[in-house]
Amino acid sequence: MAKIEEMYQTDDWKTEKHVPVIEIEEEGDEVKVKATVGKEISHPNTTEHHIRWIELYFHPEGENFPYHLGKYEFNAHGESTEGPDTSTVYTEPKVVTTFKTEKAGTIVANSYCNIHGLWSNEKKLEK
């Protein structure tokens, strides 16, 4: 059986729509992180094919373990009692969160596509 880390896929987000894109803005010790799936190439958001969630972590330099910043679920994909893709309500796989730190480290974003599995990306946070 594969280990969980072996199940995560990575690629260049400019050519692969499943890879979470990470954008970081810093203001003092406050860090604003935006994670988007399908930024350069749009990802479908239908009942049959969608991003279910994005998780964010911060791994400070010199520390053994990361901090879990949050898990964000996207639960409206056009489904309704009328059938698949009959609703006009669709959540988009985009999240913004803010946290405080005085340390440099790495932001990690993981996402899950209901058809294409687990995806991961990371970006350095310089302090």
Side-chain angles (χ1 to χ4, degrees):
M1 183 171 178
K3 293 182 179 182
I4 189 73
E5 64 268 14
E6 295 168 351
M7 296 179 195
Y8 279 91
Q9 303 171 75
T10 62
D11 206 333
D12 183 350
W13 61 266
K14 293 179 182 175
T15 59
E16 172 52 65
K17 65 186 168 201
H18 293 94
V19 178
V21 178
I22 303 167
E23 298 172 79
I24 301 170
E25 293 178 28
E26 294 179 66
E27 190 170 312
D29 65 347
E30 201 167 86
V31 180
K32 181 176 165 183
V33 178
K34 180 177 180 182
T36 307
V37 175
K39 181 177 172 121
E40 194 75 19
I41 303 169
S42 186
H43 188 281
N45 188 13
T46 63
T47 306
E48 294 82 15
H49 187 188
H50 55 266
I51 299 299
R52 177 58 68 185
W53 52 257
I54 295 174
E55 280 188 318
L56 293 174
Y57 296 86
F58 174 59
H59 189 190
E61 286 181 3
E63 294 193 23
N64 290 331
F65 303 106
Y67 291 88
H68 186 224
L69 300 176
K71 182 174 183 176
Y72 312 89
E73 295 186 10
F74 309 103
N75 295 318
H77 307 289
E79 64 274 345
S80 77
T81 57
E82 303 297 316
D85 300 317
T86 58
S87 168
T88 60
V89 180
Y90 295 85
T91 50
E92 289 296 315
K94 300 176 183 179
V95 63
V96 177
T97 194
T98 303
F99 71 102
K100 291 183 178 184
T101 185
E102 295 176 359
K103 291 189 169 190
T106 303
I107 302 290
V108 178
N110 297 328
S111 64
Y112 178 73
C113 172
N114 71 314
I115 292 178
H116 298 104
L118 296 165
W119 292 83
S120 188
N121 195 9
E122 58 185 51
K123 187 170 186 175
K124 283 290 202 187
L125 172 64
E126 307 291 342
K127 282 294 200 173

